[in-house]
Amino acid sequence: MKRFAIFVVLCVLAAAAAVGVQAWRWRERKLKEDVQNREQSAAENAAAGRLGLKTPPLPPHPLDRRIALDDALRLEPDRRFLLAARELAGADVAARFSDGRWILSSGGREFGHVAELPDFAELMSALAPLGREWVATAKVTGKAPRIRAVRGHKEAFAAIREAQTRWSRGDHGAAVLHDAASAAAALMLQLPRAFDADDRLDAHALALSAADAAAGADVRGQQAVLALALGYAGAARTLAPANDEPALHAFVTLDRRKLADAARRKEAGPGERHLLLRWLMQDANEQGLLRFIGAARDNEHISVPTVGQILLHGDLQVVAAASDALPALALAELEGVRATAPTDVELVRTLMTARNSALQTLANNEDLRARLATDLGQADTAQEGPLWRGADTSAWYAAATAAGLLGSGRSGYVLRNDATGLADELGTWPVPVAAHLSRWLKARIAADRGSLDEAYEALASSRLPGAGAAADLLDAMAKQSDSPDPRIIEAVRVALRHFDSRPVSRLIWAEMVRAHTRDLDRSGQLIASVVDKAPGGYPVDEVALARQRASIDRLEQLALDERLPFPARLEAAGALADRGPKAPAERVLRRLGRERPADVETHERLIRFLHDAGRPADALAAALDLLRTLGDDDSFRVASARCAAARQLDAMGRHEDALAMVERALPTEVVCAYRIATAQLAHLGRKEDAENLLLAHLARHPQAETAATVAEVRWRSRDDAGAADALAHPPATLTRRDFREIGERFAAVFRGRPAPDVKRATEALLQAGIQPQSILELGPPLAKAGAAAQAFELYALLSQKMPPEKSAGALFSAWGALRAGKGASAAESWLRKQLGPDPSAPAYGERLDDALWELFHNRPPEPAFADRLALLRAASIVRRGERGARRDALLKELADPLARWKASLARSIGLSGAYASWEVRLARYVLGEGREDDFADEASDGSRPCEAPYYFGVRAAAETRVRDAAAWYRVALECRNPEQPEFIWAHRAAATLEQDRSLPAKLVQAAR
């Protein structure tokens, strides 16, 4: 018994000793990890400082960060309804989000609840109690008769002025209120809306409509008009009365034939004809527009609402003319001057004549802006009351003028060599948004010149002319950045202040989060929240959603649906050609070509499709058919068609014919003509002619694309030094994004040349001072073109010129090219001579997964490297869905039957997680062990807030939890250190996700 007791004691002591040794080792690991985490945190803070990030980071805990990100990216309710509520309540209104909905309150009293992304009907219902209180206070009496909702703007102005006059005389009848509310809605529909220039004006119309409904009027037609004006197409379709408002009903139900019939009836008014014009502009129907203008009555074709619609024209010359005419026409209407213009000449001339006619009362050299300022200040001074004020008339014409100014800014920025003077000029106009327009254009110019600070400040602190202007600045900033860039990720969050839940803003925001943060799921939900309620109401966005969902059948349906605007159908056909079966795509493109035989863009898409399908003869035939249809003149449209034909002749190696084809287009100075002509001259050995034409091209078009063309032509002429000089001293800053485009041209030139030629061209680029990281972008197009030997020369040379910490990526790209060209054995032998201490991360990042096994046959002796390799192998296996010997071997390597006991013991002694390295535990999770909750608490330090969400996303994607994967990749992008590999990998992985339509519409929150 005594011996047994001694034995037991010895066993206990041995176990205690073993536990003590294990605990000591865990403690040592914990101390090392703590030091590493502090260093990684310092590195992230330093990176954030270098980048100039200005906002505080989100909470580090992955689950908390995911929740905080949802809060940070949530759109507030449509501000126009909040302003309407304030007008009705006579007090400030607040919106607070709680339990999945917005709670609206005024003066501390809740008056409504709406969904996270509320629709028109829901928001109007929230205004109802305030409307009833307003009606009671105003003592509205009686019952309102039915009034036409669709009216021209002059009729609407007359009606609302009369209503306010009667109201001021004490007539507070329901009929007066109904007339005013209906007229206000009609005015909002007729208002030129290049952007929402005056939310307060929209809010006033909403407040009147809510009060009108509370007074018992039939507001279906009125609210249908208002919903359409404010962008709520689904609500407009639901509300529009078919019998009372046939033109409106036809428009919102996409019945173009009934719309045309209703607008051409003898009793039809300007309001019905305006709806027809809206459809023609959406349909980009040039011939229909000319017929509409030819049949115009009483100079309606140059009214403020009509010219406001022409701002949406696809030709910038037309936009510029309409933008110039609109302020003059607004002035003429304010002064009662009758402007005239012919109906049977080209559109630009019509608009120019209209402008001159509108200004007929101005003295020589009299400043239009000063005269407009006076007229706006004196507009309807006799009107002052709750239904309409002189300030409302002024605001309407100021908003119309602002739409013209924005058109001038957008067209002038493209058509002028330097738009700086235009930006200053815009700020001098006497309308409230002039300063915002000027600030936007100046920030855009600065961003395009590579200075992002001004654009960031404009997003962060300035008012901008609408959500589209904010998106425009984000796009400009992104073009000057290398994705992924924490500055752009931050700028997207900062830009949220310019967006709200109104449909147009929601759709623009969806594109921003998709394009700049790879947030495909959030983007898809935002788009679906709008388009699913109104099929056909937002056709371009419907195409985008179908493309994102990879719904080939839906793309074909959209492309063939004649009820939809033609540009959206063409967009669907293009997406179908890119993703779908060839036969349906060709059938759709040819059908669209027959519908618009003179539309260059449609036929260019068909030509490109036939070329990509390996049918050059058919592509050329389509190009020549287009030219025959258009005729032989010197217009821009024919020049574009000549470019399409010349491009195809060039691809077929018929350079003499291509040059002859495109030379006729050179007088128009279209960019494509210069590019193609110079390339053909280089092909034909006419180096001096090519160089002269290049210099002329550079003088007329000092843009980044021109520098790319110069480089391409000089490469074809074997002038590598000259090509390098063009890229080293471009007329506009070249980003890595530009170098990706240049890479396509580089591949087109060098894929058929000996590999040493690539090396010489690369050396010339390096000697010219171009950064190796930019030159690296020339490699992927070479590899994609099958030029493995040429790609190897480029990558191998660059790997020697890059800093050690960045050379591994180039090395593995070279390894991949060599492996494709000479086999795995030769590639492995070469790479082993070049490798640094940890090449596993670049191999994984370049998706060269086989290298993770081929280069490391045995477990590395360094524990940290071995654990990191195990994690990357686990992620590689899971992201590729591999089931086999490699997975089994890795599972065996990572297996630990005592893992649960060790984890429990480590927690009990205050060393939670230290029983195994962070990488090993994460590798086990990636392979299916445990849940996110098991690791999230330990993922708050160092680089773990960057790492954990990425690997959570990898496993979620493998388990087809696509929405969870998208959410976790987006969380990983909140990492503020661009050198963190998982930050870059998350950005790439997010772009490859496609929405799983079998999942419910609500965002999966399984980890919460």
Side-chain angles (χ1 to χ4, degrees), residues 569-589:
R569 296 175 61 199
L570 182 59
E571 185 77 14
L576 182 65
D578 292 337
R579 291 170 171 252
K582 298 302 181 186
E586 181 178 356
R587 184 169 62 250
V588 167
L589 286 169

Side-chain angles (χ1 to χ4, degrees), residues 454-472:
E454 187 169 348
Y456 183 95
E457 288 301 321
L459 290 172
S461 58
S462 299
R463 287 193 62 185
L464 294 173
D472 187 68

Side-chain angles (χ1 to χ4, degrees), residues 582 586 589-590 603-622 644-653 751:
K582 298 302 181 186
E586 181 178 356
L589 286 169
R590 288 194 180 279
H603 290 272
E604 280 184 334
R605 193 66 190 81
L606 174 62
I607 294 164
R608 190 160 60 248
F609 170 80
L610 294 171
H611 171 75
D612 294 343
R615 296 163 57 186
D618 290 342
L620 180 59
R647 198 176 291 116
Q648 186 55 39
L649 288 165
D650 171 49
M652 298 169 70
R751 64 188 175 191

Side-chain angles (χ1 to χ4, degrees), residues 707-721:
T709 299
V710 173
E712 176 189 4
V713 172
R714 288 177 178 173
W715 278 324
R716 291 192 184 280
S717 302
R718 298 185 181 273
D719 181 7
D720 295 338

Side-chain angles (χ1 to χ4, degrees), residues 168 181 190 713 828 907 936 946 960:
S168 298
Q190 300 271 329
V713 172
E828 180 181 344
R907 281 194 299 270
C946 301
T960 66

Side-chain angles (χ1 to χ4, degrees), residues 327-574:
L329 293 168
L331 176 72
E333 287 198 8
L334 283 167
E335 296 186 347
V337 174
R338 186 173 181 269
T340 61
T343 60
D344 57 352
V345 297
E346 64 178 7
L347 187 52
V348 170
R349 186 176 170 188
T350 295
L351 293 166
M352 293 173 63
T353 304
R355 179 188 181 278
N356 294 335
S357 176
L359 299 179
Q360 60 188 273
T361 60
L362 262 68
N364 289 338
N365 300 321
E366 184 177 358
D367 190 348
L368 166 62
R369 291 166 293 186
R371 184 83 162 259
L372 182 63
T374 300
D375 289 346
L376 289 174
Q378 297 174 353
D380 281 348
T381 53
Q383 304 294 325
E384 192 63 37
L387 303 186
W388 197 254
R389 299 173 303 154
D392 297 324
T393 300
S394 176
W396 195 92
Y397 281 103
T401 301
L405 298 181
L406 181 62
S408 294
R410 292 193 180 280
S411 58
Y413 187 73
V414 176
L415 298 175
R416 298 189 186 188
N417 287 334
D418 185 358
T420 305
L422 175 61
D424 292 330
E425 178 188 334
L426 289 176
T428 64
W429 281 83
V431 294
V433 300
H436 314 324
L437 285 164
S438 177
R439 179 69 192 274
W440 158 72
L441 188 53
K442 287 180 179 179
R444 172 64 193 273
I445 293 170
D448 285 345
R449 291 174 177 173
S451 176
L452 304 188
D453 289 342
E454 187 169 348
Y456 183 95
E457 288 301 321
L459 290 172
S461 58
S462 299
R463 287 193 62 185
L464 294 173
D472 187 68
L473 288 185
L474 280 172
D475 289 340
M477 292 173 68
K479 287 178 182 177
Q480 298 297 326
S481 306
D482 297 326
S483 298
D485 187 337
R487 295 175 298 175
I488 303 302
I489 305 296
E490 181 185 54
V492 169
R493 283 202 283 122
V494 167
L496 178 71
R497 59 190 289 270
H498 300 284
F499 298 83
D500 61 19
S501 72
R502 70 189 74 184
V504 171
S505 177
R506 203 184 305 180
L507 293 170
I508 296 173
W509 179 246
E511 175 59 17
M512 291 302 97
V513 298
R514 185 203 66 80
H516 302 308
T517 67
R518 293 290 197 268
D519 201 342
L520 269 67
D521 183 68
R522 193 181 313 276
S523 171
Q525 289 185 79
L526 287 166
I527 297 173
S529 72
V530 175
V531 303
D532 287 350
K533 294 178 180 178
Y538 309 89
V540 172
D541 301 284
E542 201 165 349
V543 172
L545 187 61
R547 182 194 291 115
Q548 187 169 318
R549 289 172 169 173
S551 179
I552 302 302
D553 292 343
R554 183 61 182 150
L555 287 172
E556 185 173 2
Q557 291 169 6
L558 292 168
L560 294 174
D561 191 345
E562 293 184 356
R563 300 176 306 156
L564 301 182
F566 191 84
R569 296 175 61 199
L570 182 59
E571 185 77 14

Side-chain angles (χ1 to χ4, degrees), residues 970-984:
R970 177 62 187 90
V971 171
L973 289 179
E974 286 301 313
C975 177
R976 298 159 75 86
N977 183 2
E979 302 300 323
Q980 184 68 33
E982 283 80 3
F983 171 69
I984 299 169

